[in-house]
Every structure is written in C-alpha cells, then in structure tokens.
Amino acid sequence: MAKNILICDDAAFMRMMIKDILTKNGYNVAGEAENGLKAVEKYNELKPDLVLMDITMPEMDGIQALKTIKSGDPSAMVIMCSAMGQQAMVIESIQAGAKDFIVKPFQAERVLEAVKKVVG
C-alpha cells in the first residue's frame, strides 16, 4: 500500500519537485502546506505516514511545527529539509524528534533513501 506523505515547504516550486520525485516512485502525496501552521493543521486532518518539513517557513517555522505535531502525536514520522549551513537547526530538529534530514538542493536519490529508511 502506498505511503501517504505530507509536503511542507513555503516554496511552491520545492513542493512540486518533491511531489514529482515521490509520485514517480509509488508514494502518495496526501497534501501540501506552505507554512508551519498549515502543516500542523494538515497533519491533524490527514494523519499522513510521513511529513517532509522545510525548516525555514513563515508564520511558524518547521522546528516549531515539528514540536507541535510531535506533542499531539508522539509517533509522527517527520523528515526535515534544510538549506546548506543550517547545522544548528538540523541538530535541534533531530533532538525534537525528526527521523532524518535532507539538504537542499535535493537529490532525488537522497529524498527516496530518507523516505524509504523512515517509512519503507
């Protein structure tokens, strides 16, 4: 059965790129969110198997959204996405419960490797 994935990134282009990589490889993109607040809303509504979460977003950043989602659902699976040079934020997100992180610009293989590692 295809895994349902929620994509959270403030850049529509990035969401489209990730969606393309996932759908071509048999994953189902359950929804998209353009900021952390929407990510939390969509997570609660859709209960996806996995969330791909950008760190830097308006209204609520990815780390805050991650913490909010994890406080409501400790078993939530989240992979963080960050630009180069955000090491401190990556460490903070792993401590907050992220399962992995992907560095932008994305390599399709790396995205799929991380997704497979977390949800199979």
Side-chain angles (χ1 to χ4, degrees):
M1 195 167 115
K3 297 290 183 185
N4 289 319
I5 300 176
L6 174 62
I7 301 171
C8 311
D9 197 305
D10 55 331
F13 172 73
M14 282 306 208
R15 293 196 307 270
M16 196 177 75
M17 235 172 77
I18 298 168
K19 185 177 188 172
D20 192 51
I21 293 168
L22 295 172
T23 53
K24 281 183 177 160
N25 288 278
Y27 293 97
N28 178 43
V29 175
E32 298 180 25
E34 65 278 4
N35 63 52
L37 280 176
K38 287 262 188 284
V40 173
E41 244 171 62
K42 291 266 188 189
Y43 183 85
N44 292 328
E45 178 192 319
L46 302 167
K47 299 284 185 227
D49 299 304
L50 175 66
V51 181
L52 290 178
M53 179 91 68
D54 186 20
I55 289 180
T56 313
M57 291 188 290
E59 294 190 53
M60 179 192 283
D61 70 27
I63 293 174
Q64 197 49 56
L66 166 70
K67 290 176 177 171
T68 306
I69 287 169
K70 290 294 266 184
S71 71
D73 180 1
S75 67
M77 297 290 181
V78 182
I79 295 176
M80 301 304 283
C81 306
S82 75
M84 285 290 199
Q86 291 182 313
Q87 289 324 99
M89 289 176 147
V90 166
I91 291 165
E92 188 184 343
S93 62
I94 296 292
Q95 288 169 338
K99 297 294 177 198
D100 200 351
F101 66 93
I102 308 166
V103 177
K104 294 176 181 178
F106 298 120
Q107 302 294 317
E109 300 75 42
R110 176 67 188 109
V111 172
L112 293 168
E113 177 193 313
V115 169
K116 279 190 186 107
K117 190 175 98 180
V118 176
V119 292

